[in-house]
Amino acid sequence: MRELELTYLNEGELSQLSLPRDDSYGHDGRTDRPNEGLDAVRLVMDESGNGNASQPLIVGAVELGDDADDVEQQIRDLYKRLCAKSSFVGYPGFDEFRKNGFHSASDPPEVVGPFLELMRVLFFRAYMVVTDRTTVPGNTEVERIEFMYTKLLSDLLIRHRDKPELLCMVEQSEGMGAIIRRLSGSATRRAHETLGKVAPLPKPKMVIVAKTDYMSVAIIDYIMSAVSRWLQANRPRSPKNWPYRAFREIEPSISLLYSFEHGRISSRREPLH
């Protein structure tokens, strides 16, 4: 079993993690081919609903293509343009946005709209596991989150088992360090159990980042926020319902949304629409 490589990087050091480019790999995730031929896969991971019993608990990952550096730059360019708007100074939520970057829970509508528009033209695939906390093992929220991270990463290791490395960018948060230190080994063991044999798997390279250091983390944050609102509204299917419209907007980029209680909710092969 490969040893865990856990790293804390700032923005300058992140610029050294560029993946190989493949000019035939497009920017529009709805039409272009998957990341065949890449030597590494880049993921951004985060959780939603932690500690809030009124919200579903979600662990998610966004898989970026070989244009991951371009995606990051486009998000940073949008951030700079929005920060430069003098008319937003003093507007509720704007000072927090300037300080902490994109965050779906606190961004004002004038930030949310442009970011969602940008997401529509970026390539990414989203994978999420969700629970209402009734069947996932664990006596504490931290234990449940660790189980879900292990499950999701193990499945992604199997999905990309022909690759040498998975570069996993995990948003920095309280208590995540200990989970991440165990995650490489636990996810690899879980993947081998699922496969029923010890087989070659990618090496997980774990990198803990802040939102302002790697702004692409905001993609999974926004996606999980839309999914959470839709689930809390009991999965409405009427266009008159705003949580449904918000979910439908991001669903084309969802490769898998899986509930531990209800099974597969949506996937690329079996979307709701």
Side-chain angles (χ1 to χ4, degrees):
M1 184 180 301
R2 296 182 173 108
E3 294 296 323
L4 168 64
E5 183 175 351
L6 176 61
T7 311
Y8 292 78
L9 297 181
N10 58 35
E11 179 184 345
E13 292 167 319
L14 284 167
S15 67
Q16 305 302 313
L17 295 174
S18 300
L19 298 180
R21 292 299 309 275
D22 176 354
D23 291 337
S24 63
Y25 192 66
H27 292 268
D28 188 346
R30 290 145 177 77
T31 59
D32 291 318
R33 68 177 178 81
N35 53 346
E36 298 170 358
L38 288 178
D39 291 328
V41 176
R42 189 178 301 192
L43 304 172
V44 289
M45 304 184 73
D46 198 5
E47 77 275 354
S48 174
N50 183 3
N52 191 335
S54 67
Q55 298 179 10
L57 186 60
I58 306 174
V59 169
V62 157
E63 176 187 330
L64 300 173
D66 58 335
D67 60 348
D69 295 319
D70 289 340
V71 169
E72 176 68 12
Q73 189 58 53
Q74 289 184 67
I75 295 174
R76 288 188 171 278
D77 289 344
L78 176 61
Y79 171 73
K80 291 176 182 176
R81 290 197 301 272
L82 292 174
C83 284
K85 288 182 175 291
S86 59
S87 60
F88 285 172
V89 175
Y91 188 81
F94 185 65
D95 289 341
E96 184 175 350
F97 164 70
R98 293 182 67 181
K99 179 180 178 181
N100 298 318
F102 295 97
H103 194 288
S104 62
S106 56
D107 288 345
E110 290 79 1
V111 170
V112 172
F115 189 77
L116 290 175
E117 286 294 327
L118 177 60
M119 283 176 59
R120 292 188 184 100
V121 299
L122 298 177
F123 176 86
F124 58 86
R125 289 176 175 168
Y127 304 85
M128 286 163 284
V129 289
V130 60
T131 181
D132 61 12
R133 299 174 177 81
T134 59
T135 62
V136 168
N139 296 319
T140 67
E141 197 84 325
V142 172
E143 290 174 347
R144 288 187 283 267
I145 289 172
E146 182 166 2
F147 174 85
M148 294 168 72
Y149 263 103
T150 300
K151 166 61 176 172
L152 182 57
L153 183 56
S154 69
D155 288 349
L156 290 170
L157 287 172
I158 294 172
R159 171 180 171 81
H160 295 292
R161 57 185 176 272
D162 59 330
K163 306 298 182 184
E165 180 178 272
L166 255 64
L167 177 58
C168 304
M169 325 288 283
V170 183
E171 184 184 358
Q172 185 175 4
S173 62
E174 185 178 355
M176 280 304 299
I179 291 176
I180 299 305
R181 288 185 179 90
R182 295 188 291 265
L183 186 56
S184 178
S186 59
T188 300
R189 288 192 295 272
R190 176 71 180 260
H192 286 151
E193 291 171 2
T194 301
L195 292 170
K197 60 181 179 180
V198 176
L201 293 170
K203 176 184 178 181
K205 182 175 182 180
M206 313 303 297
V207 182
I208 296 180
V209 297
K211 271 192 171 71
T212 51
D213 291 331
Y214 197 68
M215 290 192 169
S216 296
V217 173
I219 298 175
I220 188 60
D221 173 65
Y222 266 71
I223 290 175
M224 290 191 299
S225 179
V227 169
S228 180
R229 289 192 295 265
W230 180 66
L231 293 175
Q232 288 181 80
N234 295 318
R235 301 191 218 169
R237 300 291 294 269
S238 170
K240 296 180 180 180
N241 189 288
W242 180 77
Y244 168 78
R245 296 197 305 273
F247 173 78
R248 186 169 181 175
E249 191 70 31
I250 56 93
E251 192 193 17
S253 297
I254 295 177
S255 282
L256 179 65
L257 173 59
Y258 178 84
S259 165
F260 287 99
E261 290 76 32
H262 307 290
R264 182 179 300 176
I265 297 175
S266 178
S267 70
R268 187 171 293 273
R269 291 184 178 181
E270 299 178 0
L272 294 182
H273 310 97

